[in-house]
Amino acid sequence: KSISVVFDKQTTVCAAKDHKPFSVSLGFTPLEGVMSRTSCGDLDPGIVFYLMNVHKFSIYKIDDILKNESGFLGLTGYDLEFKDLVKLYGKDQKVNLAFDVYQSQLLKYIGEGISILGGVDNIVFAGSEIETMMPVIYSLIKKISFIGISTKSLPWGDKNEISQVSAKGSQVKVYLNRMGLAKVIFYETENFLNK
C-alpha cells in the first residue's frame, strides 16, 4: 500500500496497492487535483457561473483565468517559479497562505489515498521539483506523522536516486525518489518486457 506524491509541473498524488492505482488526483484537465503555479486545482464548479453572471466573463476568459492566472500566481500575485516561491515561504504572508492551501490540498489527497487503501506502508516523494519542495515535504511528513512515521534527523543529505528518510522502526516508510523521468520510463519498460 503506497502513496506517491510527484512534484512536477502539476503535482500529483496517487494511491496504489499491489502496483495498481486506486486513486489519482489528476482529472481530464490540469484544473482538477492539486493547484499548480498557475492553475487552480479543485474548486467549486459554481465559481464558473458566478464569474459569468456577476462579472460577465466569457467561458474562454474563465478557462484562461482558471488555467493561467490561478494557483500560486492567483493567490500571491507573483509570477515566480517554485524555487523562488519557496525562498519567500515563511517571509511573505501571501506566499505562506498559498503554501497552506497547497499543503491542505495535498493532505486531502494523501488522506483519501490512505482511506481507500485501508492504510499505508510507504510514501514516496518524487518529481522534477523534489529538491525545491524539501521544506514542503518535511512539513507534510510532520503533519501526518501521527500515522506512524518517524524520520531521520535533518538534513537529509543522502543524494542517492532513492533514499529512505524514515527512521529505523518507523511503521510507515518514507522515501525520496530523485530518479529522472527518462530513467523511470526505462525501468518500467524493462519490467514490462521482462513480464
Side-chain angles (χ1 to χ4, degrees), residues 46-57:
I47 192 70
V48 173
F49 304 112
Y50 173 82
L51 292 172
M52 289 174 81
N53 294 329
V54 175
H55 295 284
K56 307 300 181 207
F57 289 156

Side-chain angles (χ1 to χ4, degrees), residues 124-142:
V124 180
F125 295 97
S128 61
E129 297 284 348
I130 191 171
E131 297 301 331
T132 299
M133 293 305 212
M134 281 300 174
V136 174
I137 293 168
Y138 178 74
S139 177
L140 285 170
I141 292 170
K142 208 163 121 183

Side-chain angles (χ1 to χ4, degrees), residues 4 22 43 62 73 84 101 111 116-117 131 147 167 176 185:
S4 166
F22 279 72
L43 61 83
I62 295 168
L73 172 60
D84 299 314
V101 171
I116 288 169
L117 297 175
E131 297 301 331
I147 65 172
L176 302 178
I185 292 170

